[in-house]
Amino acid sequence: MQKQPILIAPSILSADLLQLEKQVKTLTENGADYIHVDVMDGHFVPNLTFGPNMVKALKRITNVPLDVHLMISNPDAYIEAYARAGADILTVHQEACTHLHRTIQSIHNQNVKAGVSLNPATSLSTIENVLDDIDLLLIMTVNPGFGGQKFIPQGLKKIAKARKMIDTEEHDILLEVDGGVDNQTVESIVQAGARVLVSGSAIFGRDDIVKAMKQLKEKAENA
Ligand code: DX5
Ligand code: ZN
């Protein structure tokens, strides 16, 4: 299978919310591949963030795909709302879904790409039986809930294992990594097999967010 290109997904969790429109436009006009939207409910994760209205507002200012990461309990109840709001990819957590296969079907029924995410402690074996059904696999390399946390190095083994699973069966799945992706960690993450890189603080925490994003992409492409 041909090697997929590297895609960068800046996470607006770390954006300056008072400058959000400007920052999103600046990044999307300068090569951001996705905009990553972290949805948190204060229940599945100990933090609260954005709802469907945020997705709707972003949709008005960019055509770049919106990569919506649902860190919420009972995601089934909100799939339609996020699809209507304009999500292009909807990623649910395996840990939040009792009937994961059904949830994936519900996302596809809305004509949206379906992703599944795994917390650091969750085994890849939990999604083995849905590999034929998903468009994206998101490996968390921090415990979800906050930006700016330290990369958990054990994640590298899991990324490599996921890459193998995807390639062996020739699944057409994007392998995305989220948490602690920065100039120090990006090379090993890409070498392990990730192709979609979420980055919050390593982009928005810098004065020149475009330069930061470009540096990260360059490092990833040369890894
Ligand atoms: C964490 C979120 C991430 C977060 C990553 O729960 O899912 O998308 O924005 O932030 P950094 O890149 O700062 O680790
Ligand atoms: Zn995320």
Side-chain angles (χ1 to χ4, degrees):
M1 201 185 282
Q2 222 184 1
K3 214 170 172 185
Q4 294 160 334
I6 298 287
L7 304 178
I8 303 282
S11 162
I12 60 160
L13 181 65
S14 294
D16 177 350
L17 292 186
L18 297 179
Q19 310 278 337
L20 189 62
E21 179 174 4
K22 191 174 149 217
Q23 291 193 327
V24 168
K25 281 186 176 164
T26 306
L27 291 174
T28 52
E29 283 161 11
N30 284 284
D33 299 288
Y34 294 158
I35 289 297
H36 185 83
V37 185
D38 285 305
V39 175
M40 305 187 188
D41 65 352
H43 184 261
F44 180 71
V45 290
N47 196 4
L48 282 163
T49 55
F50 318 118
N53 278 349
M54 175 58 90
V55 175
K56 204 170 164 187
L58 290 167
K59 203 69 191 173
R60 281 172 38 213
I61 60 162
T62 183
N63 291 322
V64 164
L66 301 178
D67 172 32
V68 179
H69 180 189
L70 296 179
M71 285 162 276
I72 61 175
S73 303
N74 190 20
D76 300 79
Y78 301 95
I79 286 168
E80 197 185 332
Y82 283 97
R84 274 178 189 235
D88 296 276
I89 305 168
L90 268 178
T91 296
V92 294
H93 267 262
Q94 184 277 336
E95 304 85 359
C97 299
T98 311
H99 301 287
L100 183 59
H101 183 266
R102 181 183 286 151
T103 305
I104 293 163
Q105 279 182 318
S106 307
I107 297 173
H108 282 151
N109 286 342
Q110 299 289 328
N111 291 318
V112 174
K113 286 193 173 150
V116 174
S117 180
L118 299 178
N119 282 338
T122 307
S123 167
L124 278 171
S125 62
T126 59
I127 48 95
E128 215 177 280
N129 294 334
V130 293
L131 277 184
D132 281 333
D133 306 291
I134 59 177
D135 305 292
L136 180 146
L137 173 59
L138 172 55
I139 307 281
M140 291 304 300
T141 40
V142 297
N143 288 297
F146 303 94
Q149 300 181 82
K150 204 173 169 296
F151 180 79
I152 300 172
Q154 287 89 330
L156 289 175
K157 259 198 203 157
K158 195 166 167 187
I159 298 165
K161 210 168 159 187
R163 179 84 263 156
K164 229 183 184 168
M165 276 169 79
I166 292 170
D167 290 351
T168 313
E169 304 271 335
E170 297 198 5
H171 291 289
D172 190 12
I173 297 174
L174 290 162
L175 184 53
E176 181 174 50
V177 169
D178 186 0
V181 179
D182 61 22
N183 280 331
Q184 276 68 52
T185 56
V186 71
E187 283 165 344
S188 53
I189 292 168
V190 170
Q191 282 163 8
R195 289 293 173 269
V196 186
L197 306 168
V198 177
S199 176
S201 52
I203 292 175
F204 292 101
R206 300 262 299 273
D207 288 336
D208 189 334
I209 58 174
V210 170
K211 195 172 155 196
M213 175 179 71
K214 287 190 170 167
Q215 263 181 7
L216 204 61
K217 191 160 188 173
E218 200 183 305
K219 276 214 161 187
E221 284 172 340
N222 293 326

